Amino acid sequence: MSIPLLQYKPSSQNQRVEGYEVSSEETPRIYRMEDSPNYSDIQQLIWAGYRQVFSEHEILKFYRQENLESQLKNRAITVRDFIRGLAKSEAFRRLVVETNSNYRVIEICLKRLLGRAPYNKDEEIAWSIKIATLGWGNFVDALIDSEEYLNNFGENTIPYQRRRYKGRPFNLVTPRYAEYWRDAEDKNRHKWGDINNFMDMANSASIRTVTHTPVSTANIEIPDMTKQSEPQGIPVSISTTASFPLR
């Protein structure tokens, strides 16, 4: 008996409300099977699926799933099944699943398969339990078969980022380099002044002992700087046109 998904409260994110943005070049293009009557259109739809699931950075010939492509071209499977197959492929497992923690994997999959970021940490924990109890394949099925997926993308639409507020598009974020990954790399790199090297830096500092010498002000003579008399002689103006002496 599988553990039901834990309850979590959805946060108020921009994709949950109607947008008022004016369409621009950053607006995602929606790819549907109904809009792909010929071979070239279907080919564009297939590559749109690769870009969405694998990221723009990771589209390589090695990752292609030719069996899935062939079935989709022959209408033997739906677009939803094509996305399901990409997410369950060995290439996706090696590229994303095996190189990240469960929380990071959930974040990537929600962005790539549902078109939105995780609501909060509670949702990440809830889906992480699903991965631990059901396994990777059943986790993908839970997302693809969810009511949220069907309501937004249905059977024949490639998932897309539903609304973009700020930051890079979801399919441009490289899956391997999350913040914790970069932090782990930094810990293995020696950086002078880093907090991890503070004790070594403190121990290497040389300390000079200064001997205190008291000084008495009783015998200090202060010279008399007051003027005793007026200066002798008559000052002369530096101006050649002046006809009178200056004092």
Side-chain angles (χ1 to χ4, degrees):
M1 179 177 178
S2 63
I3 300 177
L5 185 66
L6 296 180
Q7 297 297 317
Y8 55 87
K9 185 177 181 180
S11 303
S12 179
Q13 294 183 348
N14 60 310
Q15 77 271 355
R16 298 185 64 210
V17 297
E18 293 295 331
Y20 54 85
E21 300 93 339
V22 178
S23 299
S24 65
E25 62 181 7
E26 294 184 349
T27 303
R29 178 181 173 183
I30 301 176
Y31 292 86
R32 299 185 180 92
M33 180 62 78
E34 296 87 343
D35 302 329
S36 306
N38 52 50
Y39 177 83
S40 61
D41 292 333
I42 294 178
Q43 199 67 26
Q44 291 183 16
L45 181 142
I46 288 174
W47 283 111
Y50 280 114
R51 288 194 300 271
Q52 179 65 22
V53 176
F54 282 94
S55 169
E56 294 274 2
H57 305 89
E58 307 294 345
I59 301 177
L60 302 175
K61 185 177 180 180
F62 171 76
Y63 298 140
R64 290 188 61 181
Q65 306 298 312
E66 296 182 352
N67 289 336
L68 290 174
E69 293 181 26
S70 178
Q71 294 179 60
L72 184 61
K73 291 174 183 177
N74 294 325
R75 305 299 201 274
I77 61 175
T78 63
V79 172
R80 182 162 70 110
D81 291 330
F82 176 69
I83 297 298
R84 188 198 310 270
L86 294 182
K88 288 185 177 183
S89 65
E90 183 64 24
F92 188 84
R93 176 184 289 273
R94 281 189 284 176
L95 179 67
V96 178
V97 180
E98 295 180 357
T99 58
N100 290 283
S101 67
N102 278 0
Y103 295 144
R104 175 65 171 167
V105 169
I106 290 165
E107 177 189 355
I108 292 173
C109 288
L110 290 179
K111 289 179 177 180
R112 304 284 175 80
L113 303 182
L114 296 184
R116 66 168 176 85
Y119 289 127
N120 44 47
K121 197 66 178 178
D122 291 339
E123 183 180 24
E124 293 182 2
I125 294 174
W127 284 114
S128 179
I129 294 175
K130 279 291 185 182
I131 294 179
T133 56
L134 300 180
W136 173 249
N138 290 325
F139 164 71
V140 173
D141 289 336
L143 291 183
I144 299 295
D145 296 334
S146 66
E147 183 178 354
E148 181 178 1
Y149 184 98
L150 292 174
N151 289 339
N152 288 280
F153 309 118
E155 293 287 344
N156 293 310
T157 302
I158 296 292
Y160 57 89
Q161 185 171 347
R162 285 184 254 165
R163 287 189 60 199
R164 181 182 175 190
Y165 177 65
K166 61 181 180 179
R168 292 178 294 170
F170 293 157
N171 63 341
L172 291 181
V173 178
T174 304
R176 291 176 181 265
Y177 294 96
E179 293 180 359
Y180 79 92
W181 184 281
R182 293 194 299 269
D183 293 343
E185 291 293 322
D186 287 341
K187 289 180 180 179
N188 297 327
R189 186 184 305 116
H190 178 78
K191 294 188 298 182
W192 186 258
D194 187 87
I195 189 63
N196 296 322
N197 303 321
F198 176 75
M199 292 304 299
D200 294 337
M201 182 178 63
N203 294 330
S204 65
S206 60
I207 301 176
R208 294 188 305 166
T209 303
V210 179
T211 304
H212 175 67
T213 304
V215 178
S216 175
T217 60
N219 299 324
I220 296 179
E221 295 183 1
I222 301 176
D224 186 5
M225 304 296 292
T226 59
K227 296 181 179 180
Q228 300 297 332
S229 60
E230 294 183 359
Q232 301 297 322
I234 300 175
V236 180
S237 171
I238 61 174
S239 175
T240 57
T241 60
S243 58
F244 57 88
L246 298 178
R247 289 188 178 273

